[in-house]
Amino acid sequence: MAAMQFSSRVVRVVASVLLVLCATCATLVTAQVNFSPSWGKRGAPQQEACKPSMDSLMYLYKLIQDEAQKLTDCEKFAN
């Protein structure tokens, strides 16, 4: 019983130290991120690269449809 109290106390102390350490690190760190319209692009803008392909759209459509079917099946079996 005494060993369990000791380990519980050690766990609380370690958790408290980690919490204080994380809080201290969070207060010391600062960052700023600015995004512009041409952020991350090199050279001329490429509009065709942003167009999704029909295969990708069909894959996403099928994936959503399959997940919706799974949800309806789960509801049928739950009731």
Side-chain angles (χ1 to χ4, degrees):
M1 188 74 168
M4 186 177 280
Q5 288 176 345
F6 175 73
S7 66
S8 176
R9 194 167 135 203
V10 170
V11 169
R12 280 192 215 137
V13 169
V14 169
S16 298
V17 169
L18 285 176
L19 181 66
V20 169
L21 183 64
C22 288
T24 303
C25 288
T27 58
L28 297 175
V29 175
T30 59
Q32 180 179 356
V33 179
N34 294 326
F35 293 101
S36 65
S38 62
W39 180 79
K41 296 180 183 175
R42 306 244 184 231
Q46 299 173 351
Q47 292 298 329
E48 60 274 354
C50 294
K51 294 181 182 177
S53 69
M54 191 54 127
D55 291 337
S56 298
L57 291 175
M58 291 305 294
Y59 175 77
L60 288 173
Y61 176 75
K62 179 74 172 136
L63 182 68
I64 292 170
Q65 204 173 33
D66 290 344
E67 291 300 318
Q69 184 63 45
K70 287 180 189 176
L71 286 173
T72 56
D73 290 345
C74 286
E75 288 177 0
K76 286 180 193 175
F77 294 127
N79 294 328

